[in-house]
């Protein structure tokens, strides 16, 4: 039996959501100093990963710690692993900000430690192929990413690949060396250190990872703040046992005496990239899981997109600031502040005091940006009562509108739901619309599948929808026809309108909310249901940006996809896409439907549903302004702000 080469990376984050600012010195004393003492006393080179912001905070609180880390890094007893200036969720952030985050992080590493790290740990292990270009541009020699979630979706992967470095494929045909982190093993490590597992039991767990060939194994790759300290985030946190760093030291001492195990630094592990079985160029993402994230299902991308105290508002605000800086040539200090505001911890279990301070800082920056609230809700002056460019007919509660570019039919009995949306060049075949009950001869699809409607799912209550009978108002404007309706709901009035341009194959779908509050709910809208008779099932794809310059294309390949599958009772959805450029396309090689929106107004999350059905299929994209998980603070009845206005442009494309 060959030896198992072990490496460990400790993640340091003084912005940890549930730690108050005044507690940070205690974290340095109880967690960060013991880590440095441990690495030197054991003679083992651990990876120490920290954002630039965390290192700046430590330097402010305890300059001696920074000096000691610098000394250990230069003598080779510790290895700095990069992160960026702030711990942000890259697949939810525009490419410009991701680039600045890496640039500013490297500046801090070199200024404080005179070190340029070789490896970067993907923040929260939230990965997209679009991030690869940013790590390569920053000069990183490799990244560290979770094994379990990508491999769970890739049944064709060899299980032995987890024990060697591979390569992560980017969007431009490029790739970067990849070192694996492993969620289940780092949770086992935590259980031992927290006293929930005995040493012999844990050593048995590690021993089973030895094989006939020499292997690499990630011993640990997670938080340092959970040892001899409890952030207080969950009631279910294990009880703190004094001497957890001593328990860790005992483990390392035993491992050093065991011939089955050998310690190496994280960057040393990259040198195994020339071994047989290493260097496979892998796509970590799939259509089912476009953004892999660490640990179990509740830790999915929606955790930082549309949950929390008010993720929709703060993400939309950050997008708005980004757009302002891009248009006006923002300077480094402004980008640094934006990176800070996009930190992941403000989007999870942030404390009341820190949330209030964050909002003050966010609004101070927002005050420098022009208001965008009404930008997408203006139409030009009303003209005559009719316009020859539009042919409008109403029959049996179906309103039909024809232009030289498209044909649109709306269901007046279902809140202006889109019944059919087709190109005028092919009016008999809609691309988007409603699939009525009975379309599929399969019981789990025995429902009406509308397009352009809204659904709010409130736990313990009936669904709230806009699928009501309406009497529309029709206005003929200078460059468009506008159909609008006012829909009463238990939460207040919903104003809905569709704008049909006179010459373009597109419509604009808008929602205005006159609601007094936004309860704990999943708020989904703008459903776009494809007509399965208009697209080839063998060529179906969707395409969007997840933090990169180039769009990522996901081929469905006949595999069922449902990003809105609930992950337990408290988590309303399991996957999503970042849509960081405000765009998603779906279709085949001949026809596409593109949905566009301004994330600086509403940074919605996107979700795909696809199910093959007896030679046909069900395929739609759904947009969400709110999802539910443990970060929503339901027990304290904290409500997020109501999204005032949401606008989506649906474009039909051919060729």
């Amino acid at each position: 039996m060959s030896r198992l080469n072990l490496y460990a990376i400790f993640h340091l984050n003084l912005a940890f959501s549930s730690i108050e600012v005044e507690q940070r010195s205690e974290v340095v004393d109880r967690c960060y100093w013991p880590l440095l003492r441990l690495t030197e006393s054991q003679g083992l080179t651990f990876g120490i990963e920290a954002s630039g912001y965390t290192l700046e905070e430590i330097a402010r609180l305890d300059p001696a710690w920074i000096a000691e880390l610098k000394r250990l890094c230069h003598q080779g007893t510790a290895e700095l692993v990069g992160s960026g200036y702030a711990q942000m969720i890259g697949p939810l952030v525009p490419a410009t900000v991701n680039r600045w985050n890496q640039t500013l992080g490297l500046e801090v590493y070199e200024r404080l430690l005179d070190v340029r790290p070789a490896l970067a740990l993907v923040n929260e292990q939230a990965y997209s192929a679009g991030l690869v270009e940013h790590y390569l541009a920053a000069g990183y020699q490799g990244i560290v990413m979770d094994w379990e979630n990508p491999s769970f979706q890739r049944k064709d992967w060899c299980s032995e690949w987890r024990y060697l470095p591979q390569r992560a494929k980017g969007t431009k045909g490029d790739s970067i060396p990849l070192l694996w982190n492993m969620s289940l093993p780092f949770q086992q490590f935590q259980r031992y250190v927290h006293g929930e597992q005995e040493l012999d039991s844990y050593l048995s767990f590690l021993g089973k990872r030895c094989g006939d060939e020499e292997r690499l194994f990630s011993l640990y790759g997670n938080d340092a703040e959970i040892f001899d300290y409890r952030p207080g985030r969950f009631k279910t946190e294990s009880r703190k046992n004094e001497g957890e760093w001593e328990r860790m030291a005992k483990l390392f001492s035993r491992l050093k005496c065991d011939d089955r195990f050998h310690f190496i630094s994280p960057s040393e592990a990259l040198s195994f990239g020339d071994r047989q079985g290493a260097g496979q160029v892998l796509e970590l993402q799939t259509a089912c899981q476009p953004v892999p994230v660490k640990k179990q299902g509740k830790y999915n991308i929606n955790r930082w997109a549309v949950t929390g105290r008010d993720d929709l508002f703060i993400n939309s605000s950050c997008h708005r600031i980004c757009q302002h800086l891009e248009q006006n040539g923002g300077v480094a200090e402004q980008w640094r502040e934006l990176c800070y505001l996009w930190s992941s911890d403000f989007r999870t279990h942030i404390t009341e005091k820190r949330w209030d301070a964050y909002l003050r800082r966010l609004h101070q920056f927002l005050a420098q940006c022009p208001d965008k609230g009404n930008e997408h809700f203006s139409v030009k002056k009303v003209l005559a009562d009719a316009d020859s460019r539009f042919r409008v007919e109403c029959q049996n509660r179906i309103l039909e509108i024809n232009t030289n570019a498209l044909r649109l039919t709306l269901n007046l009995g279902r809140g202006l739901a889109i019944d059919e949306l087709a190109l005028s060049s092919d009016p008999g075949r809609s691309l988007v619309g409603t699939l009525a009950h009975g379309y599929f001869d399969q019981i789990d699809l025995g429902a009406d599948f509308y397009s352009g409607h809204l659904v709010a799912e409130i736990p313990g209550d009936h669904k709230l929808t806009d699928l009501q009978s309406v009497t529309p108002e029709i206005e003929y404007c200078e460059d468009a026809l506008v159909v609008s309706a006012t829909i009463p709901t238990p939460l207040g009035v919903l104003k809905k309108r569709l704008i049909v341009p006179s010459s373009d194959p597109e419509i604009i779908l808008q929602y205005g909310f006159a609601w007094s509050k936004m309860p704990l709910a999943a708020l989904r809208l703008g459903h776009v249901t494809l007509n399965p008779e208009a697209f080839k099932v063998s060529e179906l794809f969707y395409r969007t940006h997840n933090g990169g310059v180039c769009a990522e294309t996901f081929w469905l390949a006949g595999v069922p996809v449902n990003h809105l599958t609930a992950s337990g009772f408290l988590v309303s959805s399991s996957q999503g896409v970042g849509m960081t450029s405000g765009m998603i396309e779906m279709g085949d090689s001949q026809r596409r439907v593109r949905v566009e929106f301004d994330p600086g107004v509403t940074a919605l999350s996107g979700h795909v549903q696809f199910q093959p059905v007896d030679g046909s299929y069900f395929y739609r994209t759904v947009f969400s302004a709110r999802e539910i998980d443990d970060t929503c603070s339901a027990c304290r009845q904290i409500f997020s702000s109501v999204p005032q206005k949401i606008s989506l442009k649906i474009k039909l494309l051919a060729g």
Side-chain angles (χ1 to χ4, degrees):
M1 182 177 291
S2 295
R3 69 183 182 181
L4 192 65
N5 295 282
L6 304 174
Y7 56 90
I9 299 173
F10 290 86
H11 166 60
L12 278 56
N13 178 23
L14 272 189
F16 202 116
S17 60
S18 53
I19 297 176
E20 300 286 9
V21 173
E22 56 269 24
Q23 295 175 309
R24 290 176 177 174
S25 291
E26 184 182 2
V27 173
V28 175
D29 290 341
R30 297 184 66 89
C31 305
Y32 297 173
W33 271 112
L35 174 60
L36 296 189
R37 296 187 188 108
L38 180 69
T39 188
E40 184 166 41
S41 65
Q42 292 291 327
L44 303 176
T45 304
F46 298 135
I48 297 177
E49 181 263 339
S51 66
Y53 173 79
T54 287
L55 292 179
E56 287 181 338
E57 275 294 282
I58 300 173
R60 178 180 68 83
L61 296 167
D62 194 341
W65 189 93
I66 294 292
E68 179 65 0
L69 175 61
K70 181 177 180 179
R71 182 183 72 83
L72 294 175
C73 285
H74 282 272
Q75 75 176 27
T77 314
E79 178 179 342
L80 180 68
V81 176
S83 167
Y85 179 73
Q87 178 180 276
M88 62 173 59
I89 307 304
L92 292 177
V93 175
T96 305
V97 182
N98 275 316
R99 186 169 62 249
W100 272 104
N101 194 44
Q102 294 305 326
T103 298
L104 295 169
L106 291 172
E107 184 273 325
V108 174
Y109 300 148
E110 293 178 338
R111 171 166 50 86
L112 293 182
L113 301 174
D114 193 24
V115 167
R116 195 176 182 93
L119 278 167
L121 182 75
V122 176
N123 288 335
E124 295 288 7
Q125 303 290 264
Y127 170 89
S128 71
L131 300 183
V132 169
E133 62 188 286
H134 301 304
Y135 290 117
L136 288 172
Y140 282 107
Q141 298 171 30
I143 60 172
V144 183
M145 176 56 194
D146 178 74
W147 158 267
E148 281 93 346
N149 283 288
S151 65
F152 182 75
Q153 297 292 331
R154 295 287 191 179
K155 304 304 182 185
D156 58 330
W157 284 11
C158 173
S159 62
E160 288 296 308
W161 290 350
R162 81 184 88 176
Y163 300 116
L164 289 169
Q166 309 300 341
R167 299 188 71 89
K169 184 178 180 180
T171 56
K172 301 177 179 178
D174 49 3
S175 66
I176 190 169
L178 169 65
L179 198 61
W180 297 114
N181 187 17
M182 299 185 189
S183 294
L184 294 175
F186 82 57
Q187 290 171 331
Q188 285 286 314
F189 181 93
Q190 290 171 348
R191 290 185 177 206
Y192 160 71
V193 176
H194 287 165
E196 299 171 15
Q197 184 176 184
E198 295 305 315
L199 180 56
D200 288 342
S201 174
Y202 179 69
L203 290 174
S204 175
F205 166 80
L206 285 183
K208 293 176 182 177
R209 272 64 193 169
C210 296
D212 295 334
E213 303 294 331
E214 194 171 16
R215 290 173 166 179
L216 298 174
F217 191 74
S218 174
L219 190 73
Y220 190 66
N222 203 42
D223 303 334
E225 297 86 4
I226 60 172
F227 302 122
D228 271 345
Y229 186 83
R230 294 295 183 271
R233 181 171 54 180
F234 303 118
K235 292 181 179 179
T236 55
E237 282 180 341
S238 62
R239 217 169 166 189
K240 184 169 71 67
N241 297 292
E242 292 299 328
E244 289 176 348
W245 288 99
E246 285 76 10
R247 282 181 65 85
M248 207 183 298
K250 182 179 179 181
L251 166 65
F252 289 128
S253 295
R254 281 284 297 273
L255 289 173
K256 285 162 56 178
C257 297
D258 193 322
D259 292 339
R260 295 175 297 172
F261 307 114
H262 174 67
F263 278 93
I264 61 175
S265 70
S267 59
E268 280 182 278
L270 282 181
S271 67
F272 282 67
D274 59 357
R275 304 290 178 96
Q276 185 176 0
Q280 309 290 327
V281 180
L282 304 176
E283 292 185 349
L284 278 60
Q285 72 287 353
T286 66
C288 296
Q289 188 184 65
V291 181
V293 176
K294 69 179 181 181
K295 300 200 288 190
Q296 287 77 10
K298 74 174 184 178
Y299 294 94
N300 63 72
I301 191 65
N302 303 316
R303 184 176 185 84
W304 303 277
V306 283
T307 61
R309 287 181 179 245
D310 205 350
D311 286 356
L312 181 69
F313 169 71
I314 64 177
N315 287 337
S316 302
S317 298
C318 287
H319 271 284
R320 180 177 151 198
I321 294 170
C322 175
Q323 292 167 357
H324 174 70
L325 296 183
E326 288 178 327
Q327 293 166 7
N328 295 277
V331 298
E333 283 307 308
Q334 291 176 307
W335 289 107
R336 186 189 311 273
E337 178 69 1
L338 180 55
C339 289
Y340 168 82
L341 293 172
W342 232 312
S343 299
S344 63
D345 291 280
F346 297 121
R347 288 146 176 85
T348 53
H349 296 276
I350 194 69
T351 66
E352 192 83 29
K353 186 187 299 184
R354 290 184 60 201
W355 175 250
D356 291 342
Y358 172 81
L359 288 181
R360 288 193 296 271
R361 200 159 164 174
L362 177 65
H363 283 294
Q364 185 177 5
F365 206 160
L366 272 177
Q368 305 171 32
C369 307
D371 183 24
K372 303 187 72 171
N374 295 313
E375 218 170 82
H376 289 271
F377 277 74
S378 60
V379 290
K380 297 181 180 179
K381 62 183 180 179
V382 175
L383 298 179
D385 290 338
D387 189 319
S388 60
R389 295 173 299 175
F390 304 97
R391 298 172 294 283
V392 181
E393 296 181 13
C394 185
Q395 187 175 7
N396 297 328
R397 304 298 290 166
I398 296 296
L399 180 68
E400 181 172 335
I401 302 167
N402 283 274
T403 73
N404 290 333
L406 59 76
R407 180 175 67 87
L408 169 67
T409 62
L410 303 175
N411 190 333
L412 305 185
R414 291 292 183 265
L416 302 181
I418 299 170
D419 206 50
E420 292 186 332
L421 179 60
L423 291 165
S424 59
S425 58
D426 191 9
R429 176 165 49 187
S430 65
L431 301 188
V432 173
T434 294
L435 302 178
H437 179 276
Y439 184 91
F440 298 110
D441 190 18
Q442 188 165 303
I443 191 61
D444 62 336
L445 293 174
D448 294 298
F449 296 103
Y450 300 99
S451 288
H453 63 299
L454 173 147
V455 179
E457 296 194 30
I458 305 171
D461 205 344
H462 294 291
K463 288 183 181 179
L464 181 156
T465 78
D466 62 352
L467 297 170
Q468 303 177 31
S469 180
V470 298
T471 301
E473 295 182 7
I474 300 176
E475 297 176 296
Y476 295 90
C477 302
E478 184 174 334
D479 55 359
L481 179 146
V482 180
V483 182
S484 58
T486 299
I487 303 171
T489 78
L491 296 176
V493 170
L494 174 68
K495 296 183 178 180
K496 184 174 181 179
R497 82 178 164 184
L498 289 96
I499 301 174
V500 184
S502 59
S503 58
D504 297 320
E506 63 188 36
I507 63 172
I508 299 172
L509 174 62
Q510 300 180 332
Y511 304 86
F513 298 85
W515 293 0
S516 59
K517 66 179 182 180
M518 180 65 207
L520 189 71
L523 179 61
R524 297 158 183 170
L525 44 83
H527 303 63
V528 176
T529 305
L530 294 195
N531 176 8
E533 297 169 31
F535 301 89
K536 295 180 180 179
V537 65
S538 61
E539 298 180 354
L540 289 174
F541 70 89
Y542 66 90
R543 177 181 298 130
T544 190
H545 295 83
N546 292 318
V549 174
C550 298
E552 301 179 37
T553 299
F554 300 88
W555 300 97
L556 297 181
V559 178
V561 173
N562 190 355
H563 295 168
L564 292 177
T565 300
S567 182
F569 182 74
L570 293 177
V571 182
S572 59
S573 56
S574 55
Q575 297 293 333
V577 289
M579 302 187 299
T580 49
S581 66
M583 180 280 293
I584 187 169
E585 280 187 2
M586 52 197 300
D588 62 16
S589 62
Q590 298 299 313
R591 300 174 184 85
R592 291 164 288 142
V593 178
R594 178 187 297 163
V595 183
E596 300 174 353
F597 61 95
D598 185 348
V601 177
T602 43
L604 303 169
S605 63
H607 309 272
V608 171
Q609 295 177 305
F610 171 73
Q611 184 174 338
V613 186
D614 294 332
S616 184
Y617 58 87
F618 167 66
Y619 184 19
R620 73 171 9 163
T621 295
V622 183
F623 301 90
S624 179
R626 184 70 170 170
E627 293 295 317
I628 302 170
D629 69 2
D630 60 289
T631 69
C632 294
S633 303
C635 60
R636 290 182 287 167
Q637 295 298 299
I638 293 176
F639 300 106
S640 62
S641 60
V642 178
Q644 296 301 304
K645 297 165 184 173
I646 296 176
S647 182
L648 298 165
K649 180 184 290 185
I650 304 172
K651 305 180 70 170
L652 305 184
L653 304 170

